[in-house]
Amino acid sequence: MKTIGQLLDTYPVDLGHVDRKALEACIEQCFECAQACTACADACLSEQEVAQMVKCIRTDLDCADMCETAGRVLSRHTGYDANVTRATLEACAAVCKACADECERHTAHQHCQICAQACRRCETACRELIAALG
């Protein structure tokens, strides 16, 4: 069992406000996406045509920040506020979509394609958790 799941299992209060599996998957995808976007931005900085990668770098960094924030917000349950959670998830899904769209434009760069896939998985996980919140 992964650490996220173990921590959710040991939380002292019932997490009845959310589907635990969807929550675990979303937290996991948020942190994975943040790492992928950070690595992609760094790889973009090493490309010979770095000036053509500026928007991708910026979008990668924005996405990494948003995913990291979403993962942290989703990891806190005391004083839960569904409106804050929903807004965070909506923002994360939107940034992940934008980042995936931008990275997919750079077909010559494998790191961008890998990043785009991570962004799509995170976007999907965020939307699934939103749906599970009701």
Side-chain angles (χ1 to χ4, degrees):
M1 177 178 267
K2 296 180 183 178
T3 303
I4 295 167
Q6 289 175 320
L7 288 167
L8 290 173
D9 283 346
T10 62
Y11 196 75
V13 178
D14 179 31
L15 298 177
H17 62 273
V18 67
D19 177 304
R20 199 185 83 56
K21 291 291 182 193
L23 175 63
E24 181 179 352
C26 193
I27 294 169
E28 184 177 292
Q29 289 303 316
C30 284
F31 289 127
E32 180 178 310
C33 190
Q35 191 281 325
C37 289
T38 299
C40 186
D42 185 66
C44 288
L45 287 168
S46 295
E47 293 293 344
Q48 288 187 359
E49 303 286 335
V50 72
Q52 295 176 1
M53 304 301 291
V54 170
K55 184 174 181 187
C56 191
I57 294 164
R58 170 60 191 264
T59 307
D60 280 338
L61 295 175
D62 288 348
C63 192
D65 287 346
M66 188 65 234
C67 289
E68 186 75 27
T69 297
R72 288 193 321 267
V73 168
L74 294 172
S75 296
R76 296 190 289 258
H77 307 287
T78 303
Y80 173 76
D81 185 330
N83 292 324
V84 170
T85 299
R86 191 171 286 105
T88 301
L89 289 166
E90 290 286 356
C92 190
V95 174
C96 285
K97 180 184 182 328
C99 192
D101 290 348
E102 178 60 28
C103 282
E104 286 171 349
R105 293 182 51 243
H106 302 283
T107 57
H109 305 302
Q110 188 64 26
H111 56 85
C112 287
Q113 301 312 301
I114 293 167
C115 185
Q117 292 168 4
C119 290
R120 295 285 183 217
R121 287 191 301 271
C122 189
E123 177 189 7
T124 297
C126 287
R127 297 206 185 283
E128 288 174 355
L129 185 53
I130 291 166
L133 293 175

